[in-house]
Amino acid sequence: MSPSVHVTPLRHVSGTEAAAWHQVVVASTAHDLPGVPPPALRQVHAQLTKPALASHRLSWLATGADGVPVGVAGLRIFTSAGQEHLAELELHVAPAHRRLGTGSLLLTAVVAACRTENRRSLIATAAAGGPGESFGERRGFRRVLTLDHLMLHLEEQDEAGPRRLADAEHPGYRLVGWTGTVPDDLADAFAAAKDAMNDMPVGDMDHGRVTWDADRVRAMAQVIADRGDTLLTIAAVHDDGTMAGYTEILLPQKRPRGPSSTTPRSYPRTGATDWGCGSRPPWSAGCAPNTPASSRSRRTTPMTTPTCWR
């Protein structure tokens, strides 16, 4: 345990503190997820200063004796009905300062905050087989779900196949697309499609259930806009007005993240997801040049611990 590391709660994050946070995250990401683009400083500053949907955030900065940032921890406290028991952890330690007790000091502060907030479950995500996973396991976390993340070179893809899917007739369905907030005439259908995703597998994660309605989907889009990011959505709508599937792409700092494609259980074999992904709404033309330069896949492991209520 390094006695020279000092952990400070960040009440109102300044530009200097955001830059220190960014410095640690960039170093940690480069070490643990080589090839994965780290977040831009603007993204980090927005994450630390702009409110998330139905939650509030607590943050800590660990510095060495010389004032150099060596670790950070963020705690998202969920406030939605059905998730009042839940908190989510983000923790990074600069590679050169690991195994010296910095992570443990930060986690101690996080667990104390969880108890104060009456949380029973703390979840975190770590690269499978990496130092974050082993750190969590040594401190009582357990693996509850494994996710695969894929990154694609859009500029290297042949557009002919997706274009054929997009242009083909799909009797009974139509494609709609929008930027930012869902149009009012689609809000209820979009909320219903979002709500249908509550049956997606979550393993043993004590995640709770969140009900989506039109107000919530509008609020989510506003959160993204307030952070300076752009949300692009395309959806397949049935003639009866229900939404069979949708794809969302988040563009942070002109860099695409996504897409995330989902199909409600009622439409598992319609091809709605492939059709939506293959479409080319007006805003999609500019995505390819800014795509990350890596097509490497990575696997992450959400972990949970009952430490908060012990």
Side-chain angles (χ1 to χ4, degrees), residues 34-76:
V36 175
L41 174 57
R42 183 199 61 82
Q43 292 173 254
V44 169
H45 187 270
Q47 176 190 18
L48 295 172
T49 58
K50 301 292 185 181
L53 180 65
S55 63
H56 65 272
R57 182 183 178 89
L58 303 175
S59 303
W60 294 264
L61 174 66
T63 54
D66 53 1
V68 172
V70 298
V72 295
L75 184 66
R76 184 180 178 188

Side-chain angles (χ1 to χ4, degrees), residues 49 105 117-118 120 131 147 157 161 205 216 225 233 244 291 297:
T49 58
L105 284 173
E117 296 281 347
N118 295 316
R120 74 166 183 257
L147 303 173
Q157 300 307 301
M205 188 160 48
R216 185 178 178 88
T233 308
T291 303
S297 67

Side-chain angles (χ1 to χ4, degrees), residues 157-168:
Q157 300 307 301
D158 178 11
E159 293 188 15
R163 286 299 301 169
R164 282 194 296 271
L165 283 174
D167 294 338

Side-chain angles (χ1 to χ4, degrees), residues 121-183:
S121 291
L122 175 63
I123 58 174
T125 302
E133 184 177 28
S134 59
F135 171 86
E137 289 175 342
R138 290 195 304 270
R139 285 153 182 83
F141 285 80
R142 60 186 178 86
R143 182 185 302 186
V144 292
L145 185 68
T146 299
L147 303 173
D148 286 311
H149 300 254
L150 304 176
M151 289 169 47
L152 179 69
H153 281 290
L154 292 181
E155 68 272 20
E156 295 179 2
Q157 300 307 301
D158 178 11
E159 293 188 15
R163 286 299 301 169
R164 282 194 296 271
L165 283 174
D167 294 338
E169 291 189 10
H170 293 76
Y173 298 89
R174 61 187 173 91
L175 281 180
V176 296
W178 63 88
T179 299
T181 304
V182 59

